[in-house]
Amino acid sequence: MCSFDEIPHAELMRSVARRISDAKVLRLIKLWLKAPVEECDEKGNRRLTGGKGQQKGTPQGGVASPLLANIYMRRFLLAWQQHFATKLKAHVVNYADDMVILCRGTAEKAKEAAEKIIMGMKLRMNQEKTRVVNAWRQPFDFLGYTFGPCYAVRSPDVYLGAKPSKTRIKRLYGKVREHLSRSNTDPYEEVIATLNWMLAGWAQYFSYGTLTRAYRAVDWLVERRLRGWLCRRHKDQGRGTRHFPTNKLYREYGLVCLANRLAVQRSNA
């Protein structure tokens, strides 16, 4: 909704000083905010940002940036709770500088109120990422999930639900593709062990909501990529479906199947 780059240092330090009285720690945080940061642009060119003259923004990727952002964004939450939560019957869900306002029939007023508070905090609302949607008709993404209308299997019923977003599935596949590149010549046991670790970590986060279709999509993508990697390893000129069928990938090579894992978890619940 807003950006780490816009947080003013003076106001942020006042918020921090309400919680920390040690002058040395406060000075250290202030120096850290002004530390130059090396970044790479889309073309891979390196550049330095920040520095002593910087008056706003927290270092991108800094370990303390999310914490400092939460401290500063607490101003927004307090103002919202005091002036608009009851009046607009609107609930705020936030993580760092990203947030969703949940309400019924007061969305436009909620957006105007949020922008007013944000401007008062010397921040700028990201208009490109901010939109008003009817969740029953339009899905929206938040923290890697897509929230919106979902459809029951073999039923015309529609319900509000959540599922892993297509963007996050593509991002996972990108990591899998990088891991199973031609240059990876490690023993297949180690390669698949790392692959399973990646899949288990992804499924640990995406363990809420409607999961079956997303898990099956991930399984299919990973199967296809691993089969291609094994074909190159064994100099198999075909697609590998005969030498490396699906059952063999899971049973002999030990690949994790997210869909099967989900089915077992649900049967034991």
Side-chain angles (χ1 to χ4, degrees), residues 5 24 58 66 76 85 89 93-94 115 118 140 185 257 266:
D5 296 336
K24 293 182 179 179
T58 60
F76 176 92
K89 296 181 180 179
V93 180
N94 81 299
E115 189 165 14
I118 287 173
F140 65 92
T185 58
C257 179
R266 288 177 173 174

Side-chain angles (χ1 to χ4, degrees), residues 87-91 101-108 110 133 136 160:
K87 180 181 178 181
L88 299 178
K89 296 181 180 179
H91 180 67
I101 301 176
L102 307 174
C103 56
R104 292 183 178 179
T106 58
E108 289 294 345
V133 301
W136 281 104
L160 283 179

